[in-house]
Amino acid sequence: MRKAVFLKTLLVTCIISMISCTSENIGETEQLNLVNDTRLEAQIMTLINSHRESIGLAILNFNDVAYTHANDHTEYMILKGGLSHDNFNIRASKISSEANAEEVGENVAKDYSTAEAVFNGWITSIPHKENIESDFTHTAISAKEDLNGNLYFTQIFFK
């Protein structure tokens, strides 16, 4: 009987641990004092919109809701120490609710040092390029540096 209770307790503990590892705990990131590299964000946005115009697509409009969620996710990746699309469905649902979005997409990147490098990384990757060239209407890009100088990026798209 004790073994069964121990196993149930262990199972519940494991489940709670797994859930807590995939949730975005933004409170912890406030202690890191992470600052956006707004210059880099603007450069990436310019490159993406220039590319879209060059192939006959409308430019993407900046959106504050997308920016908030992009920032939250960039900070989450920094805390996690790597790239992820963890909790994308939750993010997309919140964006849909807050901005009346019908469809949401996301690109992430890490360790690029220039806007051109991020753009080239995304445009040469089929899924990332599809987001850039999709019929999305709004976007925002978050670029933040971790405490070791590594840059992380999240771009959220929606229509």
Side-chain angles (χ1 to χ4, degrees):
M1 185 67 160
R2 284 186 184 175
K3 187 175 182 179
V5 170
F6 172 75
L7 289 175
K8 285 181 184 177
T9 304
L10 181 62
L11 178 63
V12 169
T13 303
C14 288
I15 291 170
I16 290 171
S17 294
M18 287 189 302
I19 292 170
S20 67
C21 287
T22 60
S23 67
E24 294 185 18
N25 188 346
I26 302 310
E28 294 175 32
T29 61
E30 292 170 5
Q31 298 171 8
L32 295 176
N33 254 350
L34 299 172
V35 177
N36 287 73
D37 187 333
T38 54
R39 179 189 55 80
L40 192 56
E41 292 168 351
Q43 290 173 343
I44 298 166
M45 181 85 154
T46 297
L47 288 168
I48 287 172
N49 275 334
S50 293
H51 172 76
R52 287 178 59 89
E53 283 185 310
S54 76
I55 60 171
L57 297 173
I59 64 168
L60 297 168
N61 296 302
F62 174 84
N63 180 271
D64 286 324
V65 171
Y67 194 58
T68 297
H69 289 282
N71 277 316
D72 289 348
H73 187 64
T74 300
E75 292 174 0
Y76 169 79
M77 291 190 300
I78 288 171
L79 276 176
K80 185 177 176 174
L83 292 179
S84 81
H85 290 286
D86 290 355
N87 305 306
F88 173 74
N89 289 337
I90 294 169
R91 234 177 346 278
S93 178
K94 287 179 181 179
I95 293 165
S96 293
S97 173
E98 295 168 23
N100 241 1
E102 297 172 10
E103 186 178 338
V104 179
E106 174 179 89
N107 287 348
V108 297
K110 178 181 181 265
D111 293 337
Y112 292 103
S113 60
T114 66
E116 292 80 8
V118 175
F119 174 76
N120 289 332
W122 282 340
I123 208 68
T124 59
S125 163
I126 292 172
H128 296 98
K129 182 179 180 180
E130 286 175 354
N131 278 338
I132 290 169
E133 295 180 353
S134 183
D135 63 346
F136 291 118
T137 56
H138 294 83
T139 193
I141 302 163
S142 169
K144 292 181 184 261
E145 190 174 316
D146 71 10
L147 299 177
N148 298 316
N150 302 304
L151 285 164
Y152 287 76
F153 306 87
T154 302
Q155 180 172 19
I156 297 200
F157 305 84
F158 74 84
K159 66 175 181 175

